[in-house]
Amino acid sequence: MESKEQIAQAAEDLFLTYGVRSVTMDDISKKLAISKKTIYQHYRDKDEIVCLVTERVMEREEEQINEIKLQAKDVIHELLLLSKYIRAHGQSVNPSVLFDLQRYHRSAWEIYLKFKENVFLYSLIGTLNKGKEMGYIREGVDVEILSLLRLEEIQMAYDPDVFPRDKFNFQEVQVQLFDHFVHGILTSKGLETLKLYKEK
């Protein structure tokens, strides 16, 4: 019998590839070659699976952010590493995932929003404040406002209504949004450091 963990992993693979709404319990059972009855022995319904998968993905995102912070040589390097990770990760994720959560799985969407505020936003605010202290970020920058802006930019790039992937390359969209963001907040010292990292 498949374990609860194996079912969650199979569901996650399908959700990230095809989007959440389009994946049915039948799809999950077919992927694992088990009956739907077996899935229902572990999960009440699809929404419970979606919530668990969302928690798993967000926890891995938090681990990755912490790892990047440890690897980064300074604030500029950290911002670049985060941007690179977002581009690589987002390329393999179906663009409808976040918007399926928002429209059809409100409990999972609340889990995402909680992580977004308590982990992603908190982390970015800390990074930008540190950048100010080191002279990389302009003194007049409101780090909370700009951190919120950056998170919304990242999320917006996944929106197929704004950037349909048959017209826009996801990685290029993220590059353009990142460049627009950092050029708006960096001092001359920050821009020079950014240039040096890009040349490497």
Side-chain angles (χ1 to χ4, degrees), residues 64-189:
Q64 189 61 45
I65 288 173
N66 291 335
E67 182 62 30
I68 286 172
K69 285 181 173 294
L70 290 173
Q71 293 175 5
K73 298 174 183 177
D74 54 42
V75 165
I76 305 300
H77 192 213
E78 181 181 329
L79 292 173
L80 280 167
L81 289 175
L82 284 168
S83 177
K84 182 179 179 181
Y85 170 72
I86 290 163
R87 295 197 304 273
H89 175 68
Q91 191 68 22
S92 61
V93 175
N94 189 290
S96 71
V97 167
L98 284 179
F99 298 91
D100 286 349
L101 295 186
Q102 185 176 14
R103 293 166 186 160
Y104 307 108
H105 296 277
R106 295 300 300 182
S107 295
W109 179 246
E110 290 299 324
I111 291 169
Y112 166 74
L113 291 180
K114 181 180 177 182
F115 268 87
K116 181 180 173 183
E117 180 178 355
N118 295 341
V119 178
F120 305 150
L121 181 60
Y122 177 80
S123 173
L124 189 53
I125 287 174
T127 297
L128 297 189
N129 273 324
K130 186 176 177 182
K132 262 191 175 183
E133 294 171 4
M134 299 176 69
Y136 290 124
I137 292 173
R138 293 187 295 104
E139 199 56 44
V141 167
D142 185 311
V143 296
E144 184 173 0
I145 292 174
L146 271 295
S147 294
L148 283 165
L149 172 66
R150 177 63 183 143
L151 292 182
E152 292 306 311
E153 283 181 342
I154 293 168
Q155 185 173 312
M156 182 173 61
Y158 285 90
D159 189 342
D161 292 331
V162 179
F163 295 109
R165 294 205 181 179
D166 59 349
K167 183 177 179 181
F168 296 96
N169 177 277
F170 175 81
Q171 292 191 339
E172 181 58 25
V173 170
Q174 289 289 7
V175 166
Q176 290 293 323
L177 293 176
F178 175 75
D179 282 349
H180 178 266
F181 175 74
V182 291
H183 280 82
I185 66 171
L186 296 183
T187 60
S188 56
K189 175 185 175 182

Side-chain angles (χ1 to χ4, degrees), residues 8-90:
Q9 185 59 58
E12 179 181 327
D13 293 342
L14 290 169
F15 294 156
L16 295 182
T17 302
Y18 302 107
V20 178
R21 187 187 182 196
S22 63
V23 174
T24 65
M25 297 294 261
D26 282 321
D27 294 325
I28 299 170
S29 67
K30 286 176 184 175
K31 182 175 176 65
L32 291 168
I34 61 174
S35 68
K36 283 197 294 184
K37 181 180 178 182
T38 301
I39 297 176
Y40 285 119
Q41 288 175 350
H42 294 285
Y43 294 98
R44 181 178 62 255
D45 52 24
K46 178 182 171 182
D47 196 58
E48 185 178 359
I49 298 176
V50 174
C51 286
L52 178 63
V53 168
T54 301
E55 287 180 344
R56 284 160 48 104
V57 172
M58 292 298 99
E59 286 168 1
R60 287 204 307 273
E61 295 281 303
E62 182 177 7
E63 290 172 3
Q64 189 61 45
I65 288 173
N66 291 335
E67 182 62 30
I68 286 172
K69 285 181 173 294
L70 290 173
Q71 293 175 5
K73 298 174 183 177
D74 54 42
V75 165
I76 305 300
H77 192 213
E78 181 181 329
L79 292 173
L80 280 167
L81 289 175
L82 284 168
S83 177
K84 182 179 179 181
Y85 170 72
I86 290 163
R87 295 197 304 273
H89 175 68

